[in-house]
Amino acid sequence: MQDQYGREIDYVRISITDRCNLRCTYCMPEEGIENYTSHTEILSYEEILRLVRCLAKLGIGKIKLTGGEPLVRLGCCDLVRQLKAIDGIEQVTITTNGVLLEELAGGLIEAGIDGINVSLDTVERDIFQQITRRDYFDSVMAGIEQVKALRYQNLKINCVPIAQFNKKELVKLAAQARDYPMAVRFIELMPIGLAQAYTAVSKEEIMDMLTEAFGPMTPYAGTLGNGPAEYYSLPDFKGHIGFIGAIHNKFCGQCNRIRLTSNGFLKLCLNQNKGGDLLPLIRGNASDEELTEVMRNIIYQKPAAHHFYEDDQQDTDSRQMYQVGG
Ligand code: SAM
Ligand code: SF4
């Protein structure tokens, strides 16, 4: 469907939990969270499937499962299988920290997952521990190796470059796309919650480092996903390098996405609180037709653009990244 600005909205990011087995310094406090979504508030898989059936009727056919960490929620592979079976759903992908991926990659692939994004900010165990406050580096690397061993082709590595942590790691991270046909993507740090204490590394700086290490980067015209990433090829690389810059390469004019939080809030923009709470409706007597119409009206109102670093902060969302899912 189209929103009030004529943008085609066809992609929903669904956070299936706000819990996580890592504590990335820029995302979650060390001690965890006091106000996790309670078991009574969290959308059941049946409720998620029902909402997705309604969204599919509005032409929203692409889904990304996220979290918190989506793989910590039991039955995630079955959810993928059931989502894939819904009429109008073209694509179901997932973004994961990879900790449980070695165990679950086979199940996800067998369920028909269309893309696996693994978040990895470093290839050094001690820096991983510094960033995530957990000692799961080997598990994550084993998860990535398992996906490769299964010869899965739609693998992406997502890295958030942060001056205080991993600037010296970026060349090594990019090198992972040399021998395997996957994308390594650098995602600009957004000033949300704890991340406000850290400094992003600019795309230009990263490109300079990669060019020096590997040779000239040439823009890649093909499409490798649903999002706003800009891709580049490097000499002798089987895969590609991508950049997503929500702040310095503002792509709101082409934004195609909405978000559903684990407690049923339909969210229209990453840093704004606009949207609507679907929980009372889905737990009340609303019919599928009513739910669909309510969502159509909410989505239509999608704001024109995010307001990061602008004076107009009145609609800024207090939700943190682990509640929204990126
Ligand atoms: N736990 C899963 C994971 O890490 O992939 C899914 C949720 S996590 C919030 C999704 C992505 O958001 C991760 O790649 C993470 O690095 C990224 N992220 C978290 N906080 C961010 C921020 N302030 N700016 C940019 N990306 C951020
Ligand atoms: Fe967990 Fe992902 Fe946040 Fe790290 S970025 S704490 S893995 S939700």
Side-chain angles (χ1 to χ4, degrees):
M1 66 166 280
Q2 290 194 343
D3 71 1
Q4 59 179 328
Y5 298 105
R7 291 172 297 194
E8 197 62 42
I9 308 300
D10 62 0
Y11 173 41
V12 59
R13 296 178 66 94
I14 303 178
S15 171
I16 62 171
T17 178
D18 55 0
R19 289 163 199 254
C20 189
N21 41 11
L22 297 183
R23 291 286 179 275
C24 302
T25 36
Y26 56 88
C27 182
M28 257 195 173
E30 174 143 37
E31 62 283 6
I33 311 297
E34 270 172 26
N35 59 340
Y36 284 118
T37 301
S38 67
H39 289 294
T40 51
E41 267 195 325
I42 197 164
L43 289 178
S44 67
Y45 283 163
E46 287 69 26
E47 289 168 333
I48 291 174
L49 290 163
R50 186 176 168 210
L51 289 174
V52 167
R53 272 184 229 110
C54 299
L55 287 169
K57 290 199 187 100
L58 296 173
I60 295 169
K62 295 169 187 162
I63 298 172
K64 170 87 71 205
L65 296 180
T66 179
E69 170 49 35
L71 295 183
V72 300
R73 186 155 173 193
L74 288 178
C76 187
C77 298
D78 273 341
L79 176 66
V80 172
R81 192 189 325 278
Q82 289 173 289
L83 288 169
K84 290 278 297 180
I86 293 175
D87 251 4
I89 294 304
E90 301 156 24
Q91 209 179 74
V92 180
T93 57
I94 193 165
T95 177
T96 169
N97 62 28
V99 171
L100 297 172
L101 195 54
E102 186 181 19
E103 186 189 324
L104 295 174
L108 286 172
I109 293 169
E110 198 247 325
I113 196 85
D114 294 291
I116 300 177
N117 292 4
V118 182
S119 301
L120 181 71
D121 294 332
T122 171
V123 287
E124 296 290 336
R125 181 179 291 105
D126 55 337
I127 299 178
F128 181 91
Q129 190 151 4
Q130 218 183 320
I131 297 175
T132 67
R133 303 192 183 102
R134 294 289 183 273
D135 188 15
Y136 287 137
F137 177 72
D138 291 342
S139 311
V140 177
M141 296 313 284
I144 293 171
E145 286 311 312
Q146 177 68 2
V147 175
K148 290 183 186 170
L150 294 170
R151 306 210 169 279
Y152 187 70
Q153 292 297 307
N154 202 0
L155 171 64
K156 296 190 176 96
I157 303 291
N158 288 337
C159 161
V160 180
I162 298 178
Q164 288 85 345
F165 290 122
N166 60 356
K167 200 166 154 180
K168 293 203 177 113
E169 292 286 295
L170 305 180
V171 167
K172 283 181 268 172
L173 273 156
Q176 295 180 104
R178 188 165 36 197
D179 302 324
Y180 194 83
M182 66 182 178
V184 174
R185 311 188 313 169
F186 296 105
I187 300 180
E188 185 177 14
L189 182 74
M190 288 174 279
I192 292 180
L194 297 166
Q196 292 172 83
Y198 301 105
T199 317
V201 184
S202 73
K203 176 187 170 191
E204 291 68 32
E205 231 178 314
I206 301 169
M207 285 187 72
D208 284 349
M209 288 191 270
L210 300 191
T211 304
E212 193 183 327
F214 303 117
M217 300 181 77
T218 42
Y220 175 71
T223 44
L224 293 172
N226 297 316
E230 300 169 293
Y231 287 100
Y232 291 82
S233 304
L234 273 166
D236 303 324
F237 268 53
K238 290 187 176 147
H240 293 90
I241 304 298
F243 293 90
I244 302 178
I247 314 288
H248 286 95
N249 178 27
K250 202 169 176 177
F251 41 79
C252 303
Q254 287 83 47
C255 186
N256 60 345
R257 62 193 57 193
I258 52 168
R259 296 171 167 86
L260 181 65
T261 66
S262 59
N263 59 355
F265 187 81
L266 189 63
K267 187 170 153 57
L268 299 175
C269 173
L270 191 56
N271 93 317
Q272 292 184 43
N273 58 16
K274 296 212 170 88
D277 185 5
L278 303 175
L279 205 61
L281 274 179
I282 198 163
R283 303 229 168 134
N285 292 323
S287 65
D288 283 1
E289 288 68 30
E290 283 164 334
L291 262 178
T292 309
E293 276 322 292
V294 168
M295 288 200 282
R296 187 198 300 279
N297 291 330
I298 295 173
I299 295 165
Y300 186 76
Q301 304 294 331
K302 186 171 157 69
H306 68 63
H307 293 156
F308 285 120
Y309 294 126
E310 287 169 23
D311 293 339
D312 178 8
Q313 295 290 321
Q314 56 179 341
D315 295 322
T316 299
D317 199 354
S318 59
R319 288 180 187 84
Q320 305 291 311
M321 208 59 155
Y322 63 85
Q323 296 169 306
V324 173

